[in-house]
Amino acid sequence: MLSYRHAFHAGNHADVLKHLIQIQIIDYLGQKDKPFWYIDSHAGAGAYSLTEGYATKTAEYVDGVARLWQRDDAPPAVARYLDVVKGINPDGQLRYYPGSPWFAAQTMHASEKLRLFELHPSDHKLLGECFADAGRRIKVERGNGFEALKSVLPPPPRRALVLIDPPYEDKSDYQHVVNAMKESLKRFATGTYAIWYPLLQRPEIKDMVAQLKALPCQSWLDVTLTVRTPSKEGFGMHGSGMFIVNPPWTLAATLQQTLPWLSERLAVDKGAWHSIDYRENA
C-alpha cells in the first residue's frame, strides 16, 4: 500500500520509543572494534519538517518529542536520543525530526554502512536526496522491504542491526513481519532485529507477538509504551511496542531505568503504562 506517509506521525510517542531503542542498540554494537551494518526495511523519507507539510496536519510530535525537548532531568538514554534530535536543529528550535536512517547515520562510525529500502516513490526520492552526499556508505534502494532483506542477509561483516518498521495499514503486514523474520533468521541467525509495532485493539497484533516469541532465536526482548487508555470504540493507537531479537544484554536494564520516566512524561491520561518482557539464552 502506497498511501502511508510517516511524515504525518514524525516525532510522536512511538518514534520516541523506537529511536531511543535504536540508538541504544547501535551504541552497543559500536563498542566492539568490528564493523556492522544498519539495514532498514521501511526507511521512510530520512528526515521530516515539523513546521510545514504533513506533520503540521496532525502535529503528533507535540505529545511526543516536543514534551521532552526542553527537559533537563532526562535519563541518560533519553538524553542521548535528544542529543541527536538537537543535532538536526542546531538553532535550538524544534523544526525538524530525524527518521530512523538519520539516527543511524549520525550514531554509527563513519566507516560503517547503511542499506535503506523504501517502496513509496515520493519518500524514496526524498530519502535519496537526504543522503545524496553519503557516497558508497549509504545505499538507498526502492523496493518491498520484506522481500529486499533477502538480498542483504547475511551482511559481509556478519554483524548488523535490522530495523523492520512497516506501516501496518494492510493487516497482512503482521504476518509479513513474522514470515520475514523466519526467513531472515535462516540466513542470518546472529543478527540483531528490531521490530516496531503499533498498539491497537486488533487480534493480529497479539498473534504476531506470540509468533515472534516462538521464533528460533537465542533471546528476545518485548517492550511496550502505552500513553493513553484504549478508546471504548476500539479506534486509534494507544501506544507502541518494540520486539528485539538477539538484543544487547544491557538493553533490558537500561529500559527498566528509562521507561517509568518516559511513560510519565508522555502520558495523555491515567491509562499510560509500560512493560518489559524478555527471554535470555533459549
Side-chain angles (χ1 to χ4, degrees):
M1 296 181 70
L2 297 178
S3 61
Y4 178 85
R5 304 297 296 277
H6 187 71
F8 284 108
H9 314 290
N12 69 359
H13 60 84
D15 268 358
V16 173
L17 178 68
K18 174 174 61 181
H19 293 141
L20 183 151
I21 290 175
Q22 176 191 357
I23 293 171
Q24 289 299 306
I25 296 173
I26 288 174
D27 283 351
Y28 178 84
L29 291 174
Q31 290 177 8
K32 285 189 177 182
D33 189 23
K34 296 179 180 178
F36 68 96
W37 278 22
Y38 171 78
I39 302 167
D40 199 323
S41 67
H42 297 75
Y48 306 91
S49 171
L50 301 178
T51 60
E52 59 184 7
Y54 295 123
T56 62
K57 297 182 184 299
T58 53
E60 293 185 17
Y61 73 92
V62 171
D63 283 329
V65 64
R67 288 196 179 192
L68 312 177
W69 181 247
Q70 301 294 339
R71 305 288 310 199
D72 59 4
D73 60 340
V78 179
R80 171 72 169 128
Y81 155 79
L82 290 174
D83 282 345
V84 182
V85 181
K86 291 174 182 177
I88 201 174
N89 295 281
D91 65 354
Q93 300 298 313
L94 184 58
R95 294 190 175 95
Y96 302 99
Y97 187 79
S100 302
W102 186 284
F103 277 102
Q106 295 300 310
T107 53
M108 293 170 67
H109 299 307
S111 60
E112 291 165 338
K113 295 183 178 181
L114 293 79
R115 295 295 180 263
L116 312 176
F117 299 98
E118 176 54 45
L119 184 59
H120 195 289
S122 298
D123 278 354
H124 172 259
K125 181 175 183 292
L126 292 170
L127 184 64
E129 293 171 354
C130 188
F131 296 109
D133 298 328
R136 295 183 179 181
R137 182 193 181 208
I138 301 178
K139 186 175 182 180
V140 176
E141 295 186 43
R142 187 180 175 207
N144 181 324
F146 293 125
E147 292 297 323
L149 289 178
K150 299 175 184 178
S151 68
V152 290
L153 298 180
R158 296 300 195 271
R159 301 180 72 229
L161 166 59
V162 180
L163 180 66
I164 301 177
D165 176 25
Y168 297 102
E169 283 199 327
D170 187 334
K171 290 183 180 180
S172 63
D173 275 355
Y174 297 100
Q175 191 58 47
H176 287 324
V177 168
V178 176
N179 294 341
M181 280 304 306
K182 288 179 179 179
E183 181 66 27
S184 296
L185 285 171
K186 290 178 183 178
R187 295 170 179 268
F188 183 40
T190 57
T192 297
Y193 299 84
I195 301 148
W196 178 86
Y197 62 92
L199 291 180
L200 303 163
Q201 297 183 73
R202 281 185 177 179
E204 294 91 351
I205 297 172
K206 290 183 178 180
D207 182 57
M208 182 190 75
V209 173
Q211 290 187 69
L212 292 175
K213 289 181 177 180
L215 288 171
C217 59
Q218 288 295 312
S219 57
W220 53 256
L221 174 64
D222 184 31
V223 181
T224 67
L225 178 67
T226 301
V227 298
R228 59 169 57 86
T229 303
S231 70
K232 294 180 180 179
E233 298 79 15
F235 301 119
M237 183 174 72
H238 53 273
S240 67
M242 284 285 279
F243 191 95
I244 303 100
V245 173
N246 300 327
W249 69 270
T250 56
L251 186 57
T254 296
L255 294 175
Q256 285 169 348
Q257 297 171 356
T258 305
L259 288 183
W261 186 94
L262 196 61
S263 179
E264 183 177 342
R265 299 309 180 279
L266 297 181
V268 175
D269 61 28
K270 293 183 179 180
W273 190 241
H274 60 277
S275 68
I276 300 176
D277 188 19
Y278 59 90
R279 182 184 71 191
E280 296 179 339
N281 299 322

